[in-house]
Every structure is written in C-alpha cells, then in structure tokens.
Amino acid sequence: MNAFRQGEWVALTSQKGKKWLIRIEEGPYSSHLGTVQMEDIVGKEEGDYLDTNKGARMFLFRPTLEDYIFSMNRHTQIIYPKDLGAIVFYGDIQPGCTILESGIGSGALSLALLRALGGTGRLISVEKRPEFAHMARVNIVKYFGKPPENHEVVAGDIQDFYMNIKADRIFLDLPEPWHCIASVSQLIRHGGLLISLSPNVGQVQLMFRELKAHGFANITTFELLKRDWMVDERRARPIDRMVAHTGFITIAKRTPRLFTEPEQVILDKV
Ligand SMILES: C[S@@+](CC[C@H](N)C(=O)[O-])C[C@H]1O[C@@H](n2cnc3c(N)ncnc32)[C@H](O)[C@@H]1O
C-alpha cells in the first residue's frame, strides 16, 4: 500500500496512453478529456483510475523519469531517453562516482546522472549561460522536491574551468567539445571515462583527434536507433514515424600517457 499523497506528482493517463503530469493539489484539473477533482486522487493506489466529468477514464500512475523529462521546461535541445539510458550504462555510472558535466542545458542528463548516483558521490555541472543554469536547477529541484546535496552548478565556460578534482567520469554535450579537451583532460583520473554526445559526424572526428592527442584511448563511437511498434489484437508493425537521429555517442578512456606517435605507427603495431 503506497497511496497517493497531497503534493506529489501523478501521471493522469488516458486509455490511449496520453499523459498529463500534475502535482496533486486541491481543486479541478481539466484537459480536453474533461475534469477531475485533484483531491479525489489522494488515497488512491497506482493503477487506480478516476472518470472525468465527460466520462473519460484516467489511470493514475507515478511518473517515470522519462515522463518527467518530456514534461519539464526545455529551452535547449535535451539528450533523449534512449541515449540517456546508454550513457548511464556504457558510462558505467555507479553510486559514489565524481562526475563533471558540461553544459547543463535543461538538466535532462543531470537528472539521469543524479538518479543513478542515488544521493551519493558528486555531480558538478558547468554551464556558461546563467539562464539555462537557472532553468535546469528549477527542473531538478522540482523533480527531487529539494536541491540534491551532491549537485553543484557552476556558472562559466568549461574551456576556462578548473577545480581540484580527479573525476571518474566527464560528460560533454557541447557544440564544440574539442576546444575543452586540453583542459578537462587534467580533471579526470587515469582509467576514467569521457563521454560526449554530438549530432554531426564532423564533430565526432574533431573530437577523436583531440582525445587522442590528450591521453585518451579505446575511443568508440556509436548511435542508437529506437523504432517503436504499434501492437494490438489486429496489428503488429513499426509505427510510421520515428526520431531517426539524435546524436553520436563517443566514449574514451583516460590513460597516463600521451599518444604522440603518428596514427600509422600505432596501427602498424597492432
Ligand atoms: C545541448 S545543451 C545540453 C543539454 C543537456 N545535456 C540536457 O540533456 O538537458 C548544450 C548546453 O551547453 C552550454 N554550453 C555551450 N558551450 C559551453 C561552454 N563552452 N561552456 C559551458 N557551457 C556551454 C549551452 O549554453 C547549453 O546549455
């Protein structure tokens, strides 16, 4: 028994799967499917339902992080959930990690990282636009209900950023990430992972050169395509449209040495 309480988030979900994320307060909540009284949600269990005054059935679920990310204020491009999942897994995020990220954008990646850290470790987010830093902070505080104690937002340019840390992980979601590799390579421990997301393959190649020149090895790049299917009693087929491209994910490992040899020499030794 874990009934809904006043003040918490609920995803009102129609029978067709359309969702409205609301915080449970008092009074009516209306959509084109009709009105429900929010106080009627209090005391109900997840999966229970209410009928609107127009007779539409609304199921009551706690929002997932994906639900929240798509409902929050976004003034920047965000990292999509399919890529967030891969970043958290292939980035090997674990409780206790020290993570440096830039920029914070709308806070989608920060939310995924903070959730994976589970209240432990440390996330430092460097953002050069104060208005984005503020908006992301608001999104994060709304989600957790208070500012997470293990999160610091630093206003500034990652290219000039210095802090006395040896991060376990660095995440870059920047238009020109190659410009900061020289400086951030000093802020990550040997064996640490640097993960970068870029939409264009030209950016990926510039990153590859810069990473290699600054002590990173094992550089891999991939992209993920997620194709949803329409499945019911009569049909089982891919839906007509999909988000075909988001970005390329590049992952590299920091080593103690610099690869100063020309690429051909390294290839010959393999
Ligand atoms: C695409 S958004 C990041 C989105 C974020 N990962 C998310 O999932 O919500 C890129 C952000 O990088 C910031 N940015 C760009 N160049 C920067 C720099 N040199 N230093 C710090 N932040 C920078 C931008 O202001 C913007 O907020």
Side-chain angles (χ1 to χ4, degrees):
M1 292 281 282
N2 189 6
F4 284 104
R5 296 175 306 276
Q6 186 84 13
E8 73 168 297
W9 291 93
V10 60
L12 288 180
T13 309
S14 76
Q15 280 177 302
K16 285 190 172 168
K18 182 153 176 51
K19 294 173 193 168
W20 290 265
L21 257 63
I22 60 170
R23 201 185 270 280
I24 306 170
E25 289 159 357
E26 283 178 7
Y29 181 82
S30 299
S31 69
H32 71 280
L33 292 181
T35 301
V36 293
Q37 295 300 324
M38 286 193 272
E39 51 270 30
D40 293 346
I41 301 170
V42 175
K44 291 236 184 286
E45 296 288 324
E46 270 199 272
D48 280 351
Y49 58 81
L50 290 177
D51 290 331
T52 70
N53 63 340
K54 289 186 179 173
R57 186 143 290 179
M58 294 291 206
F59 291 96
L60 307 172
F61 293 109
R62 290 199 165 82
T64 63
L65 184 53
E66 179 195 6
D67 294 332
Y68 182 74
I69 283 174
F70 282 128
S71 77
M72 70 188 191
N73 279 330
R74 289 173 274 149
H75 294 297
T76 65
Q77 180 60 264
I78 60 160
I79 299 185
Y80 267 59
K82 74 175 173 73
D83 295 318
L84 291 174
I87 285 172
V88 168
F89 186 79
Y90 292 112
D92 202 27
I93 302 304
Q94 315 164 29
C97 274
T98 294
I99 306 172
L100 174 65
E101 83 159 331
S102 186
I104 199 169
S106 305
L109 176 59
S110 319
L111 281 163
L113 295 174
L114 287 164
R115 265 265 301 252
L117 286 175
T120 67
R122 189 174 176 194
L123 172 65
I124 302 138
S125 307
V126 181
E127 170 58 53
K128 77 171 178 188
R129 301 262 306 258
E131 70 279 23
F132 292 159
H134 175 73
M135 184 193 55
R137 194 84 173 139
V138 168
N139 284 338
I140 291 164
V141 171
K142 253 193 203 168
Y143 180 76
F144 287 105
K146 58 180 185 176
E149 282 172 15
N150 58 346
H151 188 205
E152 294 151 65
V153 181
V154 181
D157 192 316
I158 189 68
Q159 289 179 47
D160 314 321
F161 178 73
Y162 178 77
M163 197 180 236
N164 188 15
I165 50 165
K166 285 289 179 200
D168 300 296
R169 305 288 180 259
I170 294 184
F171 289 90
L172 301 175
D173 183 9
L174 299 165
E176 299 186 340
W178 53 91
H179 288 313
C180 71
I181 299 303
S183 58
V184 300
S185 63
Q186 308 304 314
L187 307 180
I188 185 168
R189 69 168 170 82
H190 297 153
L193 299 180
L194 183 146
I195 297 104
S196 174
L197 183 128
S198 294
N200 297 299
V201 78
Q203 296 167 301
V204 173
Q205 282 192 301
L206 285 167
M207 269 298 269
F208 178 86
R209 283 185 208 133
E210 204 60 16
L211 286 168
K212 209 157 164 196
H214 289 92
F216 288 89
N218 238 209
I219 306 170
T220 55
T221 295
F222 61 90
E223 67 171 318
L224 291 170
L225 307 180
K226 175 174 176 275
R227 189 164 69 154
D228 289 311
W229 281 54
M230 174 189 286
V231 178
D232 62 23
E233 293 80 358
R234 290 177 297 118
R235 297 165 294 190
R237 65 168 179 84
I239 60 162
D240 303 325
R241 278 181 278 182
M242 67 187 280
V243 177
H245 178 66
T246 51
F248 300 102
I249 296 172
T250 295
I251 304 184
K253 278 194 183 135
R254 179 76 163 99
T255 70
R257 72 191 188 94
L258 295 182
F259 291 95
T260 46
E261 300 148 286
E263 189 171 328
Q264 195 53 47
V265 177
I266 294 173
L267 286 176
D268 287 348
K269 284 184 187 164
V270 173

